[in-house]
Coordinates of all heavy atoms in Angstrom, one line a residue:
M1 N 96.2 88.4 103.7 CA 95.9 89.6 103.1 C 94.4 89.8 103.3 O 93.6 88.9 103.1 CB 96.3 89.5 101.6 CG 95.8 90.7 100.8 SD 96.1 90.6 99.0 CE 97.8 91.2 99.0
S2 N 94.1 91.1 103.5 CA 92.7 91.4 103.7 C 92.2 92.3 102.5 O 93.0 93.0 101.9 CB 92.4 92.1 105.0 OG 93.1 93.4 105.0
C3 N 90.9 92.2 102.3 CA 90.3 92.9 101.2 C 90.4 94.4 101.4 O 90.1 94.9 102.5 CB 88.8 92.5 101.1 SG 87.8 93.4 99.9
P4 N 90.9 95.2 100.5 CA 91.0 96.7 100.7 C 89.7 97.4 100.8 O 89.7 98.5 101.3 CB 91.8 97.1 99.5 CG 91.6 96.1 98.4 CD 91.4 94.8 99.2
I5 N 88.6 96.8 100.4 CA 87.3 97.4 100.5 C 86.6 97.1 101.8 O 86.2 98.1 102.5 CB 86.4 97.0 99.3 CG1 87.0 97.3 98.0 CG2 85.0 97.6 99.4 CD1 87.3 98.7 97.7
C6 N 86.5 95.9 102.2 CA 85.7 95.5 103.4 C 86.5 94.9 104.5 O 86.0 94.7 105.6 CB 84.5 94.6 103.0 SG 85.1 92.9 102.6
K7 N 87.8 94.6 104.3 CA 88.7 94.1 105.2 C 88.6 92.6 105.6 O 89.2 92.1 106.5 CB 88.8 94.9 106.5 CG 88.9 96.4 106.3 CD 90.2 96.7 105.6 CE 90.4 98.2 105.5 NZ 91.0 98.6 104.2
K8 N 87.7 91.9 104.9 CA 87.5 90.5 105.1 C 88.8 89.8 104.4 O 89.4 90.4 103.6 CB 86.3 90.0 104.4 CG 85.0 90.4 105.1 CD 83.8 89.8 104.3 CE 82.5 90.3 104.9 NZ 81.3 89.9 104.1
P9 N 89.0 88.5 104.8 CA 90.1 87.8 104.2 C 89.9 87.7 102.6 O 88.8 87.5 102.2 CB 90.1 86.4 104.8 CG 89.4 86.6 106.1 CD 88.4 87.7 105.8
A10 N 91.0 87.9 101.9 CA 91.0 87.9 100.4 C 90.7 86.4 100.0 O 91.2 85.5 100.6 CB 92.2 88.4 99.8
E11 N 90.0 86.2 98.9 CA 89.8 84.9 98.3 C 90.7 84.8 97.1 O 90.9 85.8 96.3 CB 88.3 84.8 97.8 CG 87.3 84.7 98.9 CD 87.4 83.4 99.7 OE1 87.8 82.4 99.1 OE2 87.1 83.5 100.9
K12 N 91.3 83.7 96.9 CA 92.3 83.4 95.8 C 91.7 83.9 94.5 O 92.4 84.5 93.7 CB 92.7 82.0 95.8 CG 93.7 81.6 94.8 CD 94.1 80.2 94.8 CE 95.1 79.8 93.8 NZ 95.5 78.4 93.8
H13 N 90.5 83.5 94.2 CA 89.9 83.8 92.8 C 89.8 85.3 92.6 O 89.8 85.8 91.4 CB 88.6 83.1 92.7 CG 87.9 83.3 91.4 ND1 88.4 82.6 90.3 CD2 86.9 84.0 91.0 CE1 87.7 83.0 89.2 NE2 86.7 83.8 89.6
Y14 N 89.6 86.1 93.6 CA 89.3 87.6 93.5 C 90.4 88.4 94.0 O 90.3 89.6 94.1 CB 88.0 88.0 94.2 CG 86.8 87.3 93.6 CD1 86.2 86.2 94.3 CD2 86.3 87.6 92.4 CE1 85.1 85.6 93.8 CE2 85.2 87.0 91.9 CZ 84.6 86.0 92.6 OH 83.5 85.3 92.1
R15 N 91.5 87.8 94.4 CA 92.6 88.5 95.1 C 93.0 89.8 94.4 O 93.1 89.8 93.1 CB 93.8 87.6 95.1 CG 94.9 88.1 96.1 CD 95.9 87.0 96.3 NE 96.8 87.5 97.3 CZ 97.9 86.9 97.7 NH1 98.1 85.7 97.2 NH2 98.6 87.4 98.6
P16 N 93.2 90.9 95.1 CA 93.3 91.1 96.5 C 91.9 91.3 97.2 O 91.9 91.6 98.4 CB 94.1 92.3 96.6 CG 93.7 93.2 95.5 CD 93.4 92.2 94.4
F17 N 90.8 91.1 96.5 CA 89.5 91.3 97.1 C 88.9 90.0 97.6 O 89.4 88.9 97.4 CB 88.6 91.9 96.0 CG 89.1 93.1 95.4 CD1 89.7 93.0 94.1 CD2 89.1 94.3 96.1 CE1 90.2 94.2 93.5 CE2 89.7 95.4 95.5 CZ 90.2 95.4 94.2
C18 N 87.8 90.1 98.4 CA 87.2 88.9 98.9 C 86.1 88.4 98.1 O 85.7 87.2 98.2 CB 86.7 89.2 100.3 SG 85.3 90.4 100.3
S19 N 85.6 89.2 97.2 CA 84.5 88.8 96.3 C 84.4 89.6 95.1 O 85.1 90.7 95.0 CB 83.2 89.0 97.1 OG 83.0 90.3 97.4
K20 N 83.6 89.2 94.1 CA 83.3 90.0 92.9 C 82.7 91.3 93.3 O 83.0 92.4 92.6 CB 82.4 89.2 92.0 CG 82.2 90.0 90.6 CD 81.4 89.1 89.7 CE 81.1 89.8 88.3 NZ 81.3 91.2 88.1
R21 N 81.9 91.4 94.3 CA 81.2 92.6 94.7 C 82.2 93.6 95.1 O 82.2 94.8 94.6 CB 80.3 92.3 95.9 CG 79.6 93.6 96.4 CD 78.8 93.2 97.7 NE 78.3 94.4 98.3 CZ 78.9 95.2 99.2 NH1 80.1 94.8 99.6 NH2 78.4 96.3 99.7
C22 N 83.2 93.3 95.9 CA 84.2 94.2 96.3 C 85.1 94.6 95.1 O 85.5 95.8 95.0 CB 85.1 93.7 97.5 SG 84.2 93.8 99.1
A23 N 85.4 93.7 94.3 CA 86.2 94.0 93.1 C 85.5 95.0 92.2 O 86.1 96.0 91.7 CB 86.5 92.7 92.3
D24 N 84.1 94.8 92.1 CA 83.3 95.8 91.3 C 83.2 97.1 91.9 O 83.2 98.2 91.3 CB 81.9 95.2 91.1 CG 81.9 94.1 90.1 OD1 82.9 93.9 89.3 OD2 80.9 93.3 90.0
I25 N 83.2 97.2 93.3 CA 83.2 98.5 94.0 C 84.5 99.2 93.7 O 84.4 100.4 93.4 CB 83.0 98.2 95.5 CG1 81.5 97.8 95.8 CG2 83.3 99.5 96.3 CD1 81.3 97.3 97.2
D26 N 85.6 98.5 93.7 CA 86.9 99.1 93.5 C 86.9 99.6 92.0 O 87.4 100.8 91.8 CB 88.0 98.1 93.7 CG 89.4 98.7 93.6 OD1 89.8 99.5 94.4 OD2 90.0 98.4 92.5
L27 N 86.5 98.9 91.1 CA 86.4 99.3 89.7 C 85.6 100.5 89.5 O 85.9 101.4 88.8 CB 85.9 98.1 88.8 CG 85.9 98.4 87.3 CD1 87.3 98.7 86.8 CD2 85.4 97.2 86.6
G28 N 84.4 100.5 90.2 CA 83.6 101.7 90.1 C 84.3 103.0 90.7 O 84.0 104.1 90.2
K29 N 85.1 102.8 91.7 CA 85.8 103.9 92.2 C 86.8 104.5 91.2 O 87.0 105.7 91.0 CB 86.6 103.6 93.5 CG 85.6 103.4 94.7 CD 86.4 103.1 95.9 CE 85.4 103.0 97.1 NZ 86.1 102.9 98.4
W30 N 87.5 103.6 90.4 CA 88.4 104.0 89.3 C 87.6 104.8 88.3 O 88.0 105.8 87.8 CB 89.1 102.9 88.7 CG 90.3 102.4 89.5 CD1 90.4 101.3 90.3 CD2 91.6 103.0 89.6 NE1 91.6 101.2 90.9 CE2 92.4 102.3 90.5 CE3 92.1 104.2 89.1 CZ2 93.7 102.6 90.8 CZ3 93.4 104.5 89.4 CH2 94.2 103.7 90.2
F31 N 86.4 104.2 87.9 CA 85.6 104.8 86.8 C 85.0 106.2 87.3 O 84.9 107.1 86.5 CB 84.5 103.9 86.4 CG 84.9 102.8 85.5 CD1 84.2 101.6 85.5 CD2 86.0 102.8 84.7 CE1 84.5 100.5 84.7 CE2 86.4 101.8 83.9 CZ 85.6 100.6 83.9
G32 N 84.7 106.2 88.6 CA 84.2 107.5 89.2 C 85.2 108.5 89.5 O 84.9 109.5 90.1
E33 N 86.5 108.2 89.2 CA 87.6 109.0 89.4 C 87.9 109.3 90.9 O 88.3 110.4 91.3 CB 87.5 110.3 88.6 CG 87.5 110.1 87.1 CD 87.4 111.3 86.3 OE1 87.3 112.4 86.8 OE2 87.4 111.2 85.0
E34 N 87.5 108.4 91.8 CA 87.8 108.5 93.2 C 89.3 108.2 93.5 O 89.8 108.6 94.5 CB 86.9 107.6 94.0 CG 85.5 108.0 94.0 CD 84.6 107.1 94.9 OE1 85.1 106.8 96.0 OE2 83.5 106.8 94.4
Y35 N 89.9 107.5 92.6 CA 91.3 107.2 92.7 C 92.1 108.0 91.6 O 91.5 108.3 90.5 CB 91.6 105.7 92.4 CG 91.0 104.7 93.4 CD1 90.5 103.5 92.9 CD2 91.0 105.0 94.7 CE1 90.0 102.6 93.8 CE2 90.4 104.1 95.6 CZ 89.9 102.9 95.1 OH 89.4 102.0 96.0
A36 N 93.3 108.3 91.8 CA 94.1 109.0 90.8 C 95.6 108.5 91.0 O 96.0 108.3 92.1 CB 94.0 110.5 91.0
V37 N 96.3 108.5 89.9 CA 97.7 108.1 89.9 C 98.5 109.4 89.9 O 98.3 110.2 88.9 CB 98.0 107.2 88.7 CG1 99.5 106.9 88.7 CG2 97.2 106.0 88.7
P38 N 99.3 109.7 90.9 CA 100.0 111.0 90.9 C 101.1 111.0 89.8 O 101.6 110.0 89.4 CB 100.7 111.0 92.3 CG 100.6 109.6 92.8 CD 99.5 108.9 92.0
T39 N 101.4 112.2 89.3 CA 102.3 112.3 88.2 C 103.2 113.6 88.5 O 102.7 114.5 89.1 CB 101.7 112.4 86.8 OG1 102.7 112.5 85.9 CG2 100.8 113.6 86.7
A40 N 104.4 113.5 88.0 CA 105.3 114.6 88.1 C 105.5 115.2 86.7 O 106.2 116.2 86.5 CB 106.7 114.2 88.6
D41 N 104.8 114.7 85.7 CA 104.8 115.1 84.3 C 104.0 116.3 84.2 O 102.8 116.3 84.0 CB 104.4 114.0 83.4 CG 104.3 114.3 82.0 OD1 104.9 115.4 81.6 OD2 103.8 113.6 81.2
Q42 N 104.6 117.5 84.2 CA 103.9 118.8 84.1 C 103.2 118.9 82.8 O 102.1 119.4 82.7 CB 104.9 119.9 84.3 CG 104.2 121.3 84.5 CD 103.3 121.3 85.8 OE1 103.6 120.7 86.8 NE2 102.3 122.1 85.7
D43 N 103.8 118.4 81.7 CA 103.2 118.5 80.3 C 101.9 117.8 80.3 O 100.9 118.2 79.8 CB 104.2 118.0 79.2 CG 105.4 119.0 79.1 OD1 105.2 120.2 79.4 OD2 106.4 118.5 78.7
G44 N 101.9 116.5 80.8 CA 100.7 115.7 80.9 C 99.6 116.4 81.7 O 98.4 116.3 81.3
L45 N 100.0 117.0 82.8 CA 99.0 117.7 83.6 C 98.4 118.8 82.9 O 97.2 119.0 82.9 CB 99.7 118.2 84.9 CG 98.9 118.8 86.0 CD1 97.8 117.8 86.4 CD2 99.7 119.3 87.1
E46 N 99.2 119.6 82.2 CA 98.6 120.7 81.4 C 97.7 120.3 80.3 O 96.7 120.9 80.1 CB 99.8 121.6 80.9 CG 100.5 122.3 81.9 CD 101.8 123.1 81.4 OE1 101.9 123.2 80.2 OE2 102.5 123.5 82.3
E47 N 98.1 119.2 79.6 CA 97.2 118.7 78.6 C 95.9 118.2 79.1 O 94.8 118.4 78.5 CB 97.9 117.5 77.8 CG 99.1 117.9 77.0 CD 99.8 116.8 76.4 OE1 99.3 115.6 76.4 OE2 101.0 117.0 75.9
A48 N 95.9 117.5 80.3 CA 94.7 117.1 80.9 C 93.8 118.2 81.3 O 92.6 118.2 81.1 CB 95.0 116.2 82.1
F49 N 94.4 119.3 81.8 CA 93.7 120.5 82.2 C 93.0 121.1 81.0 O 91.8 121.5 81.1 CB 94.6 121.5 82.9 CG 94.0 122.7 83.4 CD1 93.1 122.7 84.5 CD2 94.2 123.9 82.7 CE1 92.5 123.9 84.9 CE2 93.6 125.1 83.1 CZ 92.8 125.1 84.2
E50 N 93.8 121.3 80.0 CA 93.3 121.9 78.7 C 92.1 121.0 78.1 O 91.1 121.6 77.7 CB 94.4 122.1 77.7 CG 95.3 123.2 78.1 CD 96.6 123.3 77.2 OE1 96.6 122.5 76.2 OE2 97.5 124.1 77.5
G51 N 92.3 119.7 78.2 CA 91.2 118.8 77.7 C 90.0 118.9 78.5 O 88.9 118.9 78.0
A52 N 90.1 119.1 79.8 CA 88.9 119.2 80.7 C 88.2 120.5 80.4 O 87.0 120.6 80.3 CB 89.3 119.2 82.1
I53 N 89.0 121.6 80.1 CA 88.3 122.9 79.8 C 87.6 122.8 78.5 O 86.4 123.3 78.4 CB 89.4 124.0 79.7 CG1 89.9 124.3 81.1 CG2 88.8 125.3 79.1 CD1 91.1 125.2 81.2
K54 N 88.2 122.2 77.5 CA 87.5 122.0 76.2 C 86.2 121.2 76.3 O 85.3 121.5 75.5 CB 88.4 121.4 75.2 CG 89.6 122.3 74.7 CD 90.5 121.6 73.8 CE 91.7 122.4 73.4 NZ 92.6 121.7 72.5
K55 N 86.2 120.3 77.2 CA 85.0 119.4 77.3 C 84.0 119.9 78.4 O 83.0 119.3 78.7 CB 85.4 118.0 77.7 CG 86.2 117.3 76.6 CD 86.6 115.9 77.1 CE 87.4 115.2 76.0 NZ 87.8 113.9 76.4
D56 N 84.3 121.1 78.9 CA 83.4 121.7 80.0 C 83.3 120.8 81.2 O 82.2 120.7 81.8 CB 82.0 122.1 79.5 CG 82.1 123.4 78.6 OD1 83.0 124.2 78.9 OD2 81.3 123.5 77.7
I57 N 84.4 120.1 81.6 CA 84.3 119.2 82.7 C 84.6 120.1 83.9 O 85.7 120.8 84.0 CB 85.4 118.1 82.6 CG1 85.0 117.2 81.4 CG2 85.5 117.3 83.9 CD1 86.1 116.2 81.1
P58 N 83.8 120.1 85.0 CA 84.1 120.9 86.1 C 85.3 120.5 86.9 O 85.5 119.3 87.1 CB 82.8 120.8 87.0 CG 82.1 119.6 86.5 CD 82.6 119.3 85.1
L59 N 86.2 121.4 87.2 CA 87.4 121.1 88.0 C 87.1 121.2 89.5 O 86.4 122.1 89.9 CB 88.5 122.1 87.6 CG 88.9 122.1 86.1 CD1 89.8 123.2 85.8 CD2 89.4 120.7 85.7
Q60 N 87.5 120.2 90.2 CA 87.2 120.2 91.6 C 88.3 120.7 92.5 O 89.4 120.7 92.2 CB 87.0 118.7 92.1 CG 85.8 118.2 91.4 CD 85.5 116.7 91.8 OE1 86.1 116.2 92.6 NE2 84.6 116.1 91.1

């Protein structure tokens, strides 16, 4: 298995990553909303949209 960030071989301790650095990069992408989990739940989508509008979060 290779690291999804840098493609080096994964280390057992950090699996599926090769190091703490790559694990932290991946976590940062989740926090930075670069990743998203798709949903078919229309109600949840509408609630998220309404919540973003109330908080003045720019929609991309």
Side-chain angles (χ1 to χ4, degrees):
M1 173 183 276
S2 62
C3 176
I5 301 298
C6 70
K7 309 300 182 217
K8 291 180 184 175
E11 291 291 329
K12 183 178 178 181
H13 185 71
Y14 299 105
R15 195 169 184 182
F17 307 103
C18 67
S19 65
K20 182 174 179 350
R21 177 184 174 274
C22 283
D24 287 346
I25 289 171
D26 184 72
L27 183 60
K29 287 183 177 188
W30 280 104
F31 286 151
E33 298 181 359
E34 292 181 44
Y35 297 142
V37 178
T39 182
D41 178 12
Q42 191 65 29
D43 292 333
L45 183 61
E46 290 174 11
E47 288 175 17
F49 180 74
E50 290 171 4
I53 291 173
K54 288 179 185 176
K55 294 180 181 178
D56 284 331
I57 297 172
L59 301 173
Q60 298 178 5

